[in-house]
């Protein structure tokens, strides 16, 4: 049994708050009867309609995409550019869980499951994300230590991270590093290196929690297995 407004939002009708308004406005019927009570409980056997149109619980879908560069991580782009949604062949209304920048490639999850998305993007959930980074300049080990402990960006200290230097290319003045972070602040990785004056010239997310890009080429995607979805739900 589920509260009517939660049921409506889980069906993708509207947000929880908007669904409450629909109920209060008398636009929602359960088994043919108008329901005005917000706490009203329904289950899958009930026939729920909004403005006379039956609402169906949509199947939840989960995709893991190897996002290419030069693709927007949103559902729509006002400049008409290609988005990650255009890369996935589905009729469900999916959206990305978090974002990768236009020029960042790598692992991106997409779903129509708002509950899982809220859970994974909530700041209290320390989901490990690993990025492979190419920097202009030669990073110092003292800077790596500072980055790992946390630096202050926009007045807020970054949480602990793990930074591994993979290769230093002195000839071309480039550093290749791998950074593991648990946060998802705006331009987080770029800003962390910019703090020491390094520009990120290439950025790729290789891992998200226990998931990686195995067996996928750039631009390809796969569905998550039910076991993987369950595991994502159980992450703390
Ligand atoms: N950090 C960034 O700066 N950009 C991304 O796309 C992801 C993490």
């Amino acid at each position: 049994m589920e509260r009517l407004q939660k049921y409506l939002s889980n069906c993708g009708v509207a947000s929880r708050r908007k669904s409450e308004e629909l109920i209060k406005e008398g636009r929602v019927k359960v088994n043919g009867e108008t329901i005005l009570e917000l706490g009203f409980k329904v289950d899958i056997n009930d026939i729920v309609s909004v403005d006379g149109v039956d609402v169906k619980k949509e199947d939840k879908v989960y995709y893991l995409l190897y996002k290419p560069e030069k693709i927007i991580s949103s559902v729509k782009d006002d400049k008409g550019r290609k988005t990650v949604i255009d890369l996935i062949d589905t009729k469900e209304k999916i959206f990305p869980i978090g974002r990768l920048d236009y020029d960042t490639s790598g692992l991106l999850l997409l779903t129509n499951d708002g509950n899982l998305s809220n859970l994974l993007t909530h700041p209290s959930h320390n989901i490990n994300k690993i990025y492979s980074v190419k920097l202009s300049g030669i990073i110092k080990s003292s800077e790596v230590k500072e980055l790992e402990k946390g630096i202050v960006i926009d007045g807020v200290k970054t949480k602990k991270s793990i930074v591994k230097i993979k290769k230093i290319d002195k000839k071309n003045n480039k550093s290749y590093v791998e950074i593991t972070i648990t946060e998802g602040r705006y331009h987080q990785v770029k800003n962390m290196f910019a703090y020491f004056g390094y520009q990120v010239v290439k950025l790729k997310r290789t891992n998200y929690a226990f998931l990686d890009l195995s067996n996928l080429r750039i631009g390809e995607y796969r569905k998550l297995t039910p076991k993987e979805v369950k595991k994502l739900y159980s992450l703390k």
Side-chain angles (χ1 to χ4, degrees):
M1 297 289 269
E2 207 168 22
R3 287 161 75 85
L4 187 51
Q5 60 269 39
K6 182 152 190 266
Y7 182 89
L8 290 171
S9 74
N10 282 344
C11 288
V13 170
S15 66
R16 189 89 58 91
R17 174 121 23 108
K18 184 88 205 349
S19 299
E20 288 180 1
E21 281 169 27
L22 294 173
I23 298 168
K24 284 195 238 160
E25 287 164 10
R27 294 165 63 184
V28 181
K29 284 185 180 166
V30 177
N31 304 323
E33 245 182 75
T34 302
I35 302 296
L36 296 167
E37 186 197 328
L38 291 181
F40 194 86
K41 297 264 175 67
V42 287
D43 67 23
I44 42 164
N45 299 316
D46 290 311
I47 297 169
V48 179
S49 67
V50 177
D51 295 334
V53 179
D54 285 359
V55 165
K56 280 192 210 83
K57 203 150 197 169
E58 59 183 4
D59 286 337
K60 296 287 178 247
V61 289
Y62 307 88
Y63 295 98
L64 188 165
L65 168 71
Y66 186 163
K67 177 195 172 297
E69 293 171 13
K70 301 193 173 68
I71 299 276
I72 305 275
S73 286
S74 56
V75 176
K76 266 196 203 129
D77 180 50
D78 45 18
K79 293 188 194 123
R81 287 172 295 183
K82 217 171 179 184
T83 77
V84 284
I85 309 296
D86 297 322
L87 300 180
I88 294 182
D89 185 18
T90 176
K91 50 182 180 5
E92 308 295 344
K93 277 194 247 156
I94 56 168
F95 52 86
I97 299 182
R99 276 168 190 233
L100 289 177
D101 292 338
Y102 181 69
D103 55 357
T104 300
S105 65
L107 198 163
L108 185 68
L109 297 179
L110 298 106
T111 184
N112 55 354
D113 183 347
N115 287 332
L116 183 67
S117 176
N118 289 341
L119 196 90
L120 295 178
T121 53
H122 195 276
S124 69
H125 272 79
N126 297 325
I127 310 281
N128 273 353
K129 283 153 271 199
I130 307 182
Y131 293 86
S132 141
V133 194
K134 181 179 174 186
L135 296 173
S136 64
I138 309 297
I139 194 162
K140 301 186 187 75
S141 48
S142 58
E143 293 164 338
V144 164
K145 282 197 192 103
E146 274 192 72
L147 280 173
E148 289 190 320
K149 276 197 273 173
I151 51 166
V152 177
I153 297 176
D154 297 333
V156 183
K157 194 170 175 186
T158 57
K159 289 187 184 163
K160 280 198 178 116
S161 68
I162 303 166
V163 181
K164 288 184 192 153
I165 298 178
K166 303 301 260 187
K167 191 174 121 188
I168 296 289
D169 179 355
K170 278 201 178 139
K171 200 169 134 232
N172 295 305
N173 195 36
K174 298 280 180 294
S175 307
Y176 294 80
V177 301
E178 186 189 86
I179 182 165
T180 307
I181 55 172
T182 58
E183 299 167 284
R185 287 164 61 183
Y186 184 62
H187 287 338
Q188 171 134 8
V189 174
K190 289 176 185 165
N191 288 341
M192 286 176 80
F193 290 102
Y195 180 88
F196 294 104
Y198 301 110
Q199 195 200 343
V200 170
V201 288
K202 235 179 179 18
L203 185 59
K204 174 173 151 185
R205 182 153 73 190
T206 57
N207 300 69
Y208 186 97
F210 55 87
L211 297 164
D212 62 29
L213 292 165
S214 300
N215 302 323
L216 289 178
R217 277 175 302 190
I218 201 146
E220 289 185 338
Y221 63 90
R222 68 171 177 90
K223 279 191 170 177
L224 293 185
T225 64
K227 210 168 158 187
E228 287 170 332
V229 175
K230 203 166 163 202
K231 208 164 159 190
L232 284 174
Y233 259 106
S234 68
L235 289 174
K236 287 275 155 19

